[in-house]
Amino acid sequence: MLLKEKIQAQLPEWRERVRKLVKEHGDIKVGEVNISQIYGGMRDVRGLVTDISYVDPNEGIRFRGYTIPELLEKLPKPEGSESPYVGGLYYLLLVGSIPTLEEALAVEEEWKARSEVPQYVFDVIRALPEDVHPVTMFSTAVLVMQRESVFASRYHEGMKKDEYWDPMLEDSMTLIARLPEIAAFIYRLKYKGGELIPSNPELDWGSNFAHMMGVPDLMYRDLSRLYFLLHSDHESGNVSAHATHLVASSLSDIYYSASAGMNGLAGPLHGLANQECLGWLLGVYDQYHGVPSKDELKSYAWDTLKSGQVIPGYGHAVLRKTDPRFTAQYEFGLKHFPEDDIFKLATMVYDVVPGVLTEQGKAKSPWPNVDAISGALQYHYGVTEFDFYTVMFGVSRILGVSANVIWDRALGQPIERAKSLTTAMLEEIAAKA
Ligand code: AMX
């Protein structure tokens, strides 16, 4: 497998780099922790390492050093399309460099060869109660495939530690290959009376998802690939990435770990925000029977805040400017359907809400994050069932978190075990300070 060869070739150098850093500079301090951070969700505590992506508070995400506009320009694309192959993105996340078209297609081919979803996965999803949230279905589907884990079986056969990354890659490739069909299955089962659309082996991974969803407009294929690129990774401290990393650190395989990550993504302050965000936009639209005036929107935003709720899609734990993932989606909408009502409304919210949040003065960032607009784009193409959106986020996020845990294994990261203190101990430390 191409990815395996490419990673293997880099391993000696990477292992030596990390070994040397730890051996020669292991005592050097990179940060401190104060009491507010311990009680404040470990914000800004430097305790993780990843080379796959980095979020600068003002600039936003870079994947392997590349900004989103750079990636949209440089990654290979299907002919006549504007969004890159997801296979090429995965190559970049794992290998660290922009692939050629052939290399991106090699990943796509590898996924095609592994894409058949075993019947038991569909049976398990069908056996769940009808009112189960689609993310629960998705996470369950990921988890149940654990029985096929190559990592788990090789571990029990006594594999050597420096080989751990290899079956982790194997499992990740199989898992990812199956995700588009599993996600589309959940969508069609839950919202389209179970009328399924067979996979089209001619299509790339991202387009095939769009096809199996049953969205007739072919631009939805570009949007799907864009969506999968944008949501894939956001360094290591966010809930889905950290949950996956933490679970994987106990040498659980990717099925256990990614399913845990999906359960974290399901929270309303994380991935579920995109569902809540569209719900909020539609609430505005309903209340004013269409796109409201700016003043009406402002008063709706204040009502939300006064009732003690957050305005979904705005604010971020790290970012302090408009999220470039928001901008990329905003530009897509502006190019393809500027007159769409919900898109216009989302644009107006972008105009109004940062001012409202600034006036309220609580949120450290009043700017939109990735979720503020993604639902409006889905809605335009007829994917209006917004409790499904976090599943799409999950399909994408598994790309990033799996790339991270493959490298965790490759570099021999140990089981994670942070230290906790009691409140009395902290009081004592404070009293002595
Ligand atoms: N609307 C109203 N209040 C907000 C707010 C928003 N959009 N964003 C932050 N605040 C409030 C917080 O609730 C907090 O209030 P508190 O002191 O009463 O608890 C205060 O501002 C300070 O919060 P912060 O330090 O700026 O943010 P944080 O790091 O604690 O949380 C986040 C970050 C994203 C959870 C928060 O901004 C939020 O709840 N936003 C809305 C939900 C959302 O969009 N989530 C998606 C995040 C991206 C993703 O993972 N998909």
Side-chain angles (χ1 to χ4, degrees), residues 274-429:
N274 62 9
Q275 139 171 8
E276 307 232 321
C277 205
L278 188 70
W280 193 83
L281 290 179
L282 294 179
V284 178
Y285 199 77
D286 263 12
Q287 171 137 338
Y288 299 105
H289 309 292
V291 180
S293 69
K294 280 193 179 176
D295 283 344
E296 286 169 331
L297 181 57
K298 205 171 167 184
S299 103
Y300 193 96
W302 272 113
D303 287 348
T304 301
L305 295 178
K306 282 179 195 150
S307 70
Q309 289 167 284
V310 295
I311 299 181
Y314 283 75
H316 199 272
V318 176
L319 277 171
R320 294 295 172 254
K321 287 272 165 65
T322 295
D323 191 333
R325 302 171 300 169
F326 171 90
T327 311
Q329 298 182 89
Y330 174 69
E331 283 168 359
F332 186 96
L334 211 55
K335 180 167 174 196
H336 296 291
F337 40 83
E339 293 311 318
D340 178 288
D341 260 11
I342 301 298
F343 177 73
K344 277 203 308 211
L345 175 57
T347 305
M348 192 187 269
V349 174
Y350 182 32
D351 250 10
V352 169
V353 162
V356 172
L357 286 174
T358 305
E359 205 178 321
Q360 190 207 27
K362 265 170 78 174
K364 292 194 190 69
S365 166
W367 300 108
N369 59 55
V370 66
D371 297 320
I373 194 127
S374 55
L377 306 195
Q378 295 295 328
Y379 205 81
H380 172 79
Y381 288 105
V383 182
T384 56
E385 301 82 357
F386 48 85
D387 55 357
F388 183 72
Y389 295 170
T390 311
V391 174
M392 291 191 290
F393 195 157
V395 169
S396 168
R397 185 46 62 96
I398 290 178
L399 298 164
V401 298
S402 63
N404 271 287
V405 294
I406 291 163
W407 272 100
D408 290 348
R409 292 278 201 271
L411 299 177
Q413 285 226 9
I415 186 165
E416 193 174 303
R417 195 355 177 143
K419 179 84 186 108
S420 48
L421 300 172
T422 66
T423 303
M425 288 172 184
L426 291 173
E427 283 165 346
E428 207 181 309
I429 292 169

